[in-house]
Amino acid sequence: MIQPAEPSKTPVLSVEGVSKSFPGVKALDGVSFEVRPGEVMALVGENGAGKSTLMKVIDGIYQPEEGSVSIGGETVALQSPQDAKRRGIAMIHQELSLVEDLSVAENLFLGELPRKSLGRVDWKKLYADSRRLLDRLNCQFSPRALIRNLTVAHKQLVEIARALVYETRVVIFDEPTTSLTDRERLLLFEIIRDLRSQGVGIVYISHKMDEIFELSDRITVLRDGTPQGVLETAETDEDSVVERMIGRKVSHAARTDFRSGEDVVLQVSDLWSRGAFREVSFELRSGEILGFYGLIGSGRTEILEAIFGLRKCYRGEIRVAGERLDKHNPEEAIARGIALIPEDRKENGLALSLACDRNLGMTVMNQWGNLAHPSREKRLFEEYREKLSIKAPGPSYPVDNLSGGNQQKVVIGKWLATEPRILLVDEPTRGIDVGSKAQIHQLLRDLAAEGYAIIVVSSEMPEIIRVSDRVLSLYEGRIVSELVGEEISEESVGRAITGVGELASTAHDSNTSPES
């Protein structure tokens, strides 16, 4: 592992007393923030704490009403992201901004392609310069490759390489691991450490506390647009950071009321789906939370899709309350009391341009003759605003303006409106801040206590351990262990999902499809 350079005491980036307001909201109130060369400064806070606004000030998108921004000790007035980039500030956004049909090299120097006489592109220089940038990040793919043919991780590397076109002093990473596999995540961390060793200052924004504590040297905390202090990472802990973020202690107690359940509401028997999973068999009982945990690609999400009828299976059966599902489509699943809370709420769970009440009514609109019914939608909104503690000014409030946690509650509410027996919940707290995570976890427990049968898929092991009565570990598309109650631990789950242990070691023995 590359050792970080000793950070200089002179900040490469300094924000002093910055304030920024929007109609009815003071997004930043006297915020000061600094980054030293060769350090990773984490920036944390709940959704709406001001992190994005602060980064947009640093990136030149917003200009502050009060305060100043300095780069290398020089006060600057940044007018645009291009201005910030030329001064050495690079922003790696969560949503990548590459041109899919252009090559890696063209994306790296987009808008500034090297030219020969008569304005012709100097392709030889373009590819050579691009190769040097990619080599700096140990990228093996060709600068001639089309962006659309790269993995998400490689696209992110292109974004980072593009940030290094200029003499970069600070690189800002905004939730960079959201779409990465575990292996790609480790690669990104090595690149961040490498940049740090070269004296580059890093700003790292994430809701994932394990990443914050693994990477950062210091942590800056924001709450409601105001600074809550700067902590030395080695001298603090997660509970202290979270308490500053939300202004109160958050209980993360693991479940002690483990439920074995009584009525079997879902039976999955010897289910196979080509290229996704095989030999999947389990039961789900009313009032329990069953956790699925495994590495990305282990078949977790695909099993939920199969149960909900979104994925075809060529062998096996699914029964709800003893009755077999025959059509294997979402309409049948919904009619039989199955609801799916999807992994990507913005892409598949919500109509972001519509109001809260309209989103809540979408799943039951067929009961109203497939027509919008404003009065019923408003009643639904009031019912689930109270039941799920949705923080929204009113039913007509755009769902896109809600925090991630409240958006997730709207998704859960719209499916509860179908009166399901079984909830399939995929990544329940992805992109949600720590305080809202605790609320979602408690909500899942409360729903289980009411008798709902729940399956939870999560990439976060602490989340699975906190909410689950039982955990099924998956390895290469196969269930390899079942852990119940006090058996559930990071060690036991971790051993199973990496192929360690008696059951996992037999996974390779069952690679032959029944069709062969």
Side-chain angles (χ1 to χ4, degrees):
M1 183 179 296
I2 300 170
Q3 296 299 315
E6 183 67 25
S8 165
K9 297 299 181 183
T10 303
V12 66
L13 170 69
S14 180
V15 172
E16 294 290 339
V18 162
S19 295
K20 180 67 178 178
S21 297
F22 301 98
V25 177
K26 189 151 193 175
L28 297 175
D29 188 4
V31 172
S32 295
F33 173 81
E34 68 174 33
V35 185
R36 301 167 186 162
E39 80 162 345
V40 177
M41 170 64 83
L43 180 64
V44 301
E46 291 189 279
N47 290 329
K51 303 187 301 296
S52 295
T53 303
L54 177 59
M55 291 304 101
K56 287 178 180 179
V57 168
I58 293 172
D59 200 34
I61 298 172
Y62 295 153
Q63 286 69 50
E65 294 147 8
E66 300 175 5
S68 63
V69 177
S70 299
I71 299 176
E74 177 187 356
T75 300
V76 295
L78 302 173
Q79 300 300 316
S80 68
Q82 196 68 11
D83 189 14
K85 188 177 291 186
R86 286 198 173 93
R87 293 179 179 272
I89 307 297
M91 182 89 171
I92 311 298
H93 294 277
Q94 183 176 347
E95 304 295 332
L96 303 181
S97 56
L98 301 172
V99 182
E100 293 280 314
D101 290 322
L102 295 183
S103 69
V104 169
E106 289 168 303
N107 272 273
L108 289 177
F109 290 91
L110 193 63
E112 299 189 18
L113 299 175
R115 301 285 179 176
K116 296 192 291 189
S117 60
L118 303 177
R120 294 174 299 169
V121 175
D122 189 338
W123 294 104
K124 183 177 180 181
K125 178 174 172 54
L126 174 65
Y127 292 133
D129 290 348
S130 299
R131 184 71 266 167
R132 279 193 291 272
L133 281 173
L134 295 175
D135 287 344
R136 186 175 173 184
L137 300 177
N138 296 316
C139 298
Q140 301 304 313
F141 50 86
S142 169
R144 300 172 185 264
L146 287 180
I147 292 295
R148 68 169 55 258
N149 295 331
L150 300 182
T151 65
V152 172
H154 286 165
K155 290 177 182 179
Q156 193 171 62
L157 290 175
V158 175
E159 285 275 19
I160 297 170
R162 187 161 69 173
L164 301 179
V165 169
Y166 298 95
E167 191 63 34
T168 303
R169 301 183 180 191
V170 177
V171 180
I172 301 167
F173 291 89
D174 184 10
E175 296 284 354
T177 62
T178 300
S179 301
L180 301 186
T181 66
D182 291 338
R183 182 174 297 178
E184 292 166 345
R185 174 176 170 269
L186 294 176
L187 174 61
L188 174 66
F189 287 2
E190 282 302 313
I191 289 171
I192 289 174
R193 293 185 181 106
D194 190 20
L195 291 171
R196 180 171 65 175
S197 73
Q198 297 172 32
V200 176
I202 306 292
V203 179
Y204 194 85
I205 304 170
S206 179
H207 291 307
K208 298 179 180 179
M209 285 294 159
D210 59 333
E211 296 181 1
I212 294 296
F213 279 87
E214 181 174 349
L215 284 175
S216 69
D217 300 296
R218 295 187 297 153
I219 304 170
T220 294
V221 183
L222 290 182
R223 184 171 78 239
D224 297 331
T226 61
Q228 302 298 311
V230 180
L231 305 171
E232 296 287 339
T233 305
E235 298 174 4
T236 189
D237 57 29
E238 180 176 333
D239 288 342
S240 299
V241 174
V242 171
E243 188 173 350
R244 289 190 184 225
M245 283 172 55
I246 67 177
R248 65 182 189 280
K249 292 183 181 296
V250 173
S251 173
H252 288 301
R255 290 194 63 163
T256 56
D257 58 333
F258 295 104
R259 303 170 185 270
S260 60
E262 296 181 0
D263 300 328
V264 174
V265 295
L266 177 69
Q267 292 171 294
V268 175
S269 302
D270 196 28
L271 207 62
W272 294 64
S273 180
R274 188 172 290 104
F277 55 81
R278 61 192 187 279
E279 297 181 290
V280 170
S281 299
F282 65 89
E283 293 183 345
L284 177 67
R285 298 178 182 271
S286 61
E288 77 165 341
I289 300 179
L290 175 62
F292 279 10
Y293 189 76
L295 301 175
I296 292 175
S298 62
R300 309 167 308 179
T301 293
E302 290 80 0
I303 293 172
L304 297 194
E305 291 174 345
I307 295 170
F308 194 64
L310 292 172
R311 174 176 290 273
K312 297 299 181 185
C313 297
Y314 62 86
R315 175 172 171 172
E317 68 174 18
I318 302 168
R319 291 180 177 270
V320 176
E323 297 183 12
R324 181 174 179 175
L325 297 183
D326 295 317
K327 297 179 181 178
H328 295 290
N329 60 36
E331 290 77 12
E332 180 188 32
I334 293 169
R336 299 289 290 278
I338 301 175
L340 174 63
I341 314 299
E343 177 180 10
D344 189 334
R345 61 182 172 273
K346 291 189 175 182
E347 185 70 24
N348 301 314
L350 296 168
L352 294 174
S353 62
L354 300 181
C356 294
D357 58 352
R358 183 58 48 85
N359 272 274
L360 282 163
M362 280 184 169
T363 53
V364 292
M365 197 173 289
N366 63 322
Q367 301 173 22
W368 307 336
N370 290 318
L371 297 172
H373 201 298
S375 63
R376 290 177 175 175
E377 290 170 353
K378 285 180 172 58
R379 284 199 296 272
L380 271 182
F381 172 79
E382 295 301 337
E383 177 184 351
Y384 287 104
R385 176 162 67 170
E386 180 178 356
K387 182 172 184 178
L388 306 183
S389 299
I390 298 172
K391 293 183 179 178
S396 60
Y397 193 71
V399 75
D400 193 27
N401 291 346
L402 297 179
S403 69
N406 285 298
Q407 287 181 348
Q408 188 73 332
K409 291 177 184 179
V410 171
V411 179
I412 294 171
K414 83 172 193 177
W415 283 107
L416 292 181
T418 67
E419 300 182 355
R421 305 177 66 181
I422 299 164
L423 289 177
L424 311 176
V425 188
D426 197 355
E427 300 288 359
T429 62
R430 170 166 287 181
I432 293 175
D433 60 70
V434 176
S436 296
K437 278 187 179 183
Q439 293 177 0
I440 296 294
H441 293 166
Q442 187 60 53
L443 173 59
L444 292 174
R445 294 190 188 105
D446 292 344
L447 292 171
E450 293 177 21
Y452 289 93
I454 302 173
I455 298 177
V456 171
V457 165
S458 177
S459 299
E460 298 185 29
M461 188 183 295
E463 178 166 74
I464 284 292
I465 292 172
R466 284 169 185 156
V467 303
S468 302
D469 299 304
R470 287 189 295 141
V471 172
L472 298 181
S473 299
L474 290 116
Y475 179 71
E476 295 186 349
R478 186 168 173 266
I479 295 173
V480 294
S481 76
E482 177 182 6
L483 301 167
V484 181
E486 300 300 331
E487 297 173 354
I488 303 169
S489 68
E490 291 196 12
E491 180 181 2
S492 60
V493 176
R495 285 174 60 84
I497 60 99
T498 54
V500 178
E502 182 178 352
L503 280 173
S505 67
T506 66
H508 297 285
D509 298 334
S510 300
N511 286 331
T512 303
S513 163
E515 294 183 324
S516 58

